[in-house]
Amino acid sequence: MTTPLTFSDNNAKAGNLNRRTLLRGAAGALATAVTMETAAAATVAPLGQTGTPTRSTAPLPLGPLPGSRYPDSHLESAHPKATFGPSGFPAFAGTMAVERVATGMRWAEGPVYFAAGRYVLFSDIPNNRIMRFSEDDGHLSVYRQPSMNSNGNTIDREGRLITCEHSGRRVTRTELDGSITIIADKYNGKKLNSPNDAVVASDGSIWFTDPIYGIGGFYEGVKAEPEQEKHNVYRVDPKSGEIKVVVDDFVEPNGITFSPDEKKLYVIDTGFTDGPDNPSHIRVFDVDIGTGKVSNGKVFAEMPKPSITDGMRADTAGRIWCSVGWGDPNEDGVRCYTPEGELLGKIHIPETVANLCFGGQQRNRLYICGSSSLYAVYTSVQGAMKP
């Protein structure tokens, strides 16, 4: 037989009192916690805008693009066909085709290749993450989330990741131990707009562009009012950390790179996104990387409006490879120009292309960020590997 537990009257009263006291205390603590939580929510900005992963029951297929054969018809030379393959176009490497190597992103941007690990890092801006594609086994994983809606990425001479962050409104460096150093977040005491793309010179100086795309809404950053009067191109001194404006007359400065000898600076202007009379082109300047002085600016290449170019890289011969998208689907992909600005050919991609980089152990594999996917193609040239 089980004997029920019983309490005396005094114990029962004491128990009721203690329970009431505990309940009142708990309720007060809960109210305080809610008040503190509400206050924090009202004053602390989110760590970037967190997106929702893309879900699909029928993802884009990986591997060579449908209909590919050798020589790949996705490679189009600007010159009449006179020899085997696309004549005069260095994208042609023989027995190769454009491949889709990863998919599932909302807006892929800012690729950078790390030779030591044989992987590509690139941004998935709306999903607030940096992705990692392992070249050796094709594995795709999340490298960092949240990423502060990272956009452009590059690498410095010490193998450290340099990242432009939209919602952070800053340029950061990921140290070799994983910690993050803020390189630039203000100019003249005011917040930067939304750093977009960066390049590192051989002297360690960091050059970056600062349009307003990342503060224009809540999809690729955090909506905010610009504090900088102009949309500038900046240089960060490698010794003092001082931030200076090097060019201040862009509508929307975007992709940026150097020539292999670092005597030319190329900067994209995507001002066409703000109005039909604004530019959609690449400009080139003479540059002194040590002093940060640029001169003799001129238009290097016009894009076929309404298309724009967003990102670019140079190969060892000084040719410029740039992305194309947002206009005629037949222009989606990559363009290659001689150092004099002559169009050599196109790589056709079935999505709007934002950015690209050279990678691979021989630096001859071009990685292409096209909207929802990462593409790759072997070329007959090597990237300059000037980050």
Side-chain angles (χ1 to χ4, degrees), residues 4 6 12 14 47 52 62 75 90 109 162 188 233 253 257 262 265 295 299-300 334 344 373 376 385:
T6 59
L47 292 174
T52 303
L62 301 183
L75 308 180
E109 248 279 21
I162 306 295
N188 282 345
V233 180
T257 198
E262 296 184 324
L265 174 69
S295 59
V299 173
F300 172 75
V334 174
L344 286 175
S373 306
M385 295 299 285

Side-chain angles (χ1 to χ4, degrees), residues 148-169:
M148 305 299 282
N149 298 109
S150 64
N151 189 336
N153 296 285
T154 191
I155 184 174
D156 69 9
R157 294 309 196 275
E158 296 181 42
R160 299 172 296 187
L161 174 67
I162 306 295
T163 301
C164 295
E165 300 176 355
H166 279 181
S167 54
R169 300 176 73 171

Side-chain angles (χ1 to χ4, degrees), residues 321-353:
W321 301 69
C322 68
S323 67
V324 180
W326 295 105
D328 182 351
N330 294 318
E331 296 291 345
D332 288 350
V334 174
R335 287 184 163 212
C336 176
Y337 292 91
T338 67
E340 294 73 37
E342 177 192 356
L343 178 65
L344 286 175
K346 308 173 186 178
I347 303 174
H348 294 282
I349 301 294
E351 298 186 79
T352 282
V353 172

Side-chain angles (χ1 to χ4, degrees), residues 77-349:
S77 174
H79 302 282
K81 183 176 176 63
T83 60
F84 173 70
S87 178
F89 185 24
F92 180 63
T95 55
M96 43 64 69
V98 179
E99 305 166 50
R100 184 184 287 114
V101 297
T103 191
M105 280 59 70
R106 289 195 182 276
W107 180 237
E109 248 279 21
V112 58
Y113 184 77
F114 283 76
R118 291 196 64 190
Y119 59 81
V120 181
L121 296 182
F122 62 97
S123 298
D124 183 5
I125 303 178
N127 279 329
N128 197 17
R129 59 187 183 174
I130 296 176
M131 306 300 293
R132 175 176 49 208
F133 173 76
S134 296
E135 184 179 63
D136 54 349
D137 64 0
H139 180 66
L140 181 68
S141 60
V142 176
Y143 173 80
R144 175 181 298 160
Q145 190 175 34
S147 68
M148 305 299 282
N149 298 109
S150 64
N151 189 336
N153 296 285
T154 191
I155 184 174
D156 69 9
R157 294 309 196 275
E158 296 181 42
R160 299 172 296 187
L161 174 67
I162 306 295
T163 301
C164 295
E165 300 176 355
H166 279 181
S167 54
R169 300 176 73 171
R170 63 189 189 179
V171 179
T172 62
R173 181 177 64 226
T174 301
E175 307 296 347
L176 299 180
D177 64 0
S179 60
I180 295 177
T181 299
I182 298 174
I183 300 299
D185 62 352
K186 292 183 176 66
Y187 176 70
N188 282 345
K190 298 179 180 180
K191 288 183 180 180
L192 298 174
N193 294 321
S194 57
N196 189 286
D197 208 354
V199 64
V200 182
S202 58
D203 67 348
S205 58
I206 299 173
W207 305 58
F208 68 94
T209 59
D210 189 38
I212 60 171
Y213 295 125
I215 56 175
F218 294 104
Y219 183 61
E220 293 190 356
V222 179
K223 188 174 183 179
E225 290 297 319
E227 297 184 19
Q228 298 296 330
E229 180 182 353
K230 295 184 178 181
H231 306 164
N232 298 319
V233 180
Y234 295 94
R235 176 187 181 272
V236 183
D237 187 86
K239 295 180 180 179
S240 68
E242 182 182 10
I243 304 169
K244 285 188 175 181
V245 174
V246 293
V247 191
D248 67 356
D249 62 348
F250 278 81
V251 180
E252 296 288 4
N254 208 311
I256 183 171
T257 198
F258 288 115
S259 60
D261 60 7
E262 296 184 324
K263 293 182 179 180
K264 300 287 185 182
L265 174 69
Y266 297 86
V267 184
I268 292 169
D269 195 335
T270 50
F272 179 74
T273 61
D274 296 0
D277 296 326
N278 290 331
S280 175
H281 60 213
I282 301 172
R283 290 169 65 184
V284 62
F285 303 85
D286 294 330
V287 61
D288 183 328
I289 63 167
T291 63
K293 292 182 179 179
V294 301
S295 59
N296 301 323
K298 63 180 180 180
V299 173
F300 172 75
E302 291 281 1
M303 294 300 114
K305 292 180 179 180
S307 296
I308 61 171
T309 179
D310 198 329
M312 60 185 162
R313 292 291 187 274
D315 65 26
T316 54
R319 288 175 287 252
I320 297 297
W321 301 69
C322 68
S323 67
V324 180
W326 295 105
D328 182 351
N330 294 318
E331 296 291 345
D332 288 350
V334 174
R335 287 184 163 212
C336 176
Y337 292 91
T338 67
E340 294 73 37
E342 177 192 356
L343 178 65
L344 286 175
K346 308 173 186 178
I347 303 174
H348 294 282
I349 301 294

Side-chain angles (χ1 to χ4, degrees), residues 20-33:
R20 285 195 296 273
T21 302
L22 286 171
L23 288 171
R24 281 199 301 272
L30 180 61
T32 302

